[in-house]
Amino acid sequence: MTDQTSPHRASGRPSEPAFAMSVDVEDYFQVQAFARYVPRDEWERHPSRVVANTERVLDLFDRAGAKATFFTLGCVARAHPGLVREIAARGHEVASHGVDHRMITELSPAEFRLQAVDSKALLEDLAGHPVIGYRAPSYSVGASTLWALEILLECGYAYDSSIYPIRRRRYGYPGGPVVPARIPAGAGSRTIAEFPMPTLALGPVRLPVLAGAYLRLLPSWLSMMALRTHAANGIPVVVNVHPWELDPDQPTIGPSRGRTWTHYTRLAATERILGLVAGAARFRSIADRLRELGLLTEAARAT
């Protein structure tokens, strides 16, 4: 991995912090934490809430004047094509989150390629614009799955936003970049743009912030401090949320909410926290911010 401490920038600094907003569009029962309770062949038995929840996120972004990248599962797009069209019609970027929320560690290279191709084609047909971005389910691009980056390039993707430069049980890549950069993608000199998930340096420790459960579980004052720190130091950041995180009334999966407490804790607070964050700065899509930073190829800039 090269150039892990500073982004390759275009000449001159952006006139505002390079802050991006993102949403992983998936239903409440499709998360990795529930894989043991809800097999994929039983997903249709659970009432979908993804459309109403995503529309709540869209409305919040409208109020805040924020634009975002919506990484959308292929299975959600097939079931709710109007939702993808609405996301695009409201001026947001549509990108891929794979097909069925299987982590890359669960896929062979051939299976991953098929999902990358199929989801890209489906989303492009619905959104009416090229799909150039990808985020792996559960941030599962890590040391053992870097091979996926080469496949993304070969399938026509221009950037990835899957690397979380921390160490966790199911995911994390401490050796990955901590700021947007072009990173190796296969043999030779081929590279792909990467916008990693955000962290806050506390001495030798990197604290995950502003993305996934950390946006919801950590105190809102810490999230706002993280934003101010990134802005003061000119460090790009991408915020991430899931539509189900704005839905405290979602059905309980599994024996109890306590058994999967990270999924259910503080769901009623997410909308308030996301509103505070979205209103604190000017947020744009990941593709737009990578263009400003000079990290996309000429082909990607033309899309």
Side-chain angles (χ1 to χ4, degrees):
M1 198 61 62
T2 60
D3 197 4
Q4 297 177 6
T5 57
S6 62
H8 297 275
R9 294 180 180 272
S11 58
R13 292 176 60 85
S15 58
E16 62 186 12
F19 285 179
M21 182 69 71
S22 67
V23 182
D24 292 352
V25 183
E26 60 199 45
D27 230 322
Y28 65 97
F29 53 83
Q30 295 171 328
V31 302
Q32 189 65 27
F34 294 155
R36 57 182 168 167
Y37 301 123
V38 187
R40 285 176 176 81
D41 59 5
E42 295 182 8
W43 278 1
E44 292 185 0
R45 295 172 52 185
H46 293 264
S48 176
R49 299 170 72 90
V50 69
V51 172
N53 289 335
T54 304
E55 288 178 343
R56 289 178 69 181
V57 176
L58 287 166
D59 290 344
L60 187 153
F61 290 167
D62 282 350
R63 294 192 296 271
K67 296 301 180 185
T69 298
F70 284 72
F71 293 98
T72 307
L73 285 177
C75 62
V76 169
R78 287 193 182 95
H80 308 286
L83 178 62
V84 180
R85 296 188 185 101
E86 182 178 1
I87 291 168
R90 294 217 204 180
H92 302 283
E93 179 190 11
V94 174
S96 174
H97 197 35
V99 173
D100 58 2
H101 211 268
R102 280 194 288 170
M103 297 171 64
I104 299 179
T105 50
E106 301 176 87
L107 299 170
S108 69
E111 291 171 328
F112 177 75
R113 183 186 298 274
L114 185 61
Q115 289 213 2
V117 170
D118 285 356
S119 62
K120 187 177 193 295
L122 172 62
L123 293 170
E124 286 180 341
D125 182 58
L126 294 173
H129 65 65
V131 168
I132 64 171
Y134 176 85
R135 175 170 292 151
S138 300
Y139 314 118
S140 51
V141 170
S144 67
T145 53
L146 292 175
W147 51 262
L149 300 177
E150 182 176 17
I151 294 176
L152 289 177
L153 269 185
E154 293 170 352
C155 294
Y157 292 87
Y159 75 84
D160 174 72
S161 183
S162 305
I163 290 177
Y164 222 137
I166 57 174
R167 190 184 304 280
R168 288 294 183 271
R169 180 170 60 89
R170 279 198 301 259
Y171 63 88
Y173 182 29
V178 298
V179 293
R182 292 200 66 85
I183 62 175
S189 60
R190 301 184 74 189
T191 61
I192 191 170
E194 175 69 36
F195 205 130
M197 308 313 294
T199 58
L200 187 64
L202 299 176
V205 177
R206 287 211 159 266
L207 178 70
V209 293
L210 295 167
Y214 308 108
L215 175 68
R216 170 169 46 92
L217 298 179
L218 295 176
S220 56
W221 64 262
L222 183 56
S223 293
M224 301 306 288
M225 184 187 77
L227 277 182
R228 290 193 296 270
T229 300
H230 280 76
N233 291 284
I235 302 172
V237 69
V238 58
V239 174
N240 188 49
V241 70
H242 304 84
W244 55 261
E245 292 186 281
L246 278 71
D247 183 10
D249 298 323
Q250 64 189 261
T252 298
I253 301 293
S256 70
R257 293 198 168 199
R259 188 71 64 89
T260 48
W261 68 271
T262 56
H263 181 95
Y264 293 108
T265 299
R266 300 191 75 201
L267 292 177
T270 308
E271 190 163 3
R272 177 186 62 83
I273 296 169
L274 182 61
L276 286 173
V277 169
R282 185 172 181 265
F283 285 91
R284 289 298 176 258
S285 71
I286 292 175
D288 282 347
R289 292 311 192 191
L290 288 173
R291 290 186 183 100
E292 293 171 7
L293 293 168
L295 289 166
L296 291 186
T297 63
E298 290 297 327
R301 290 194 192 102
T303 62

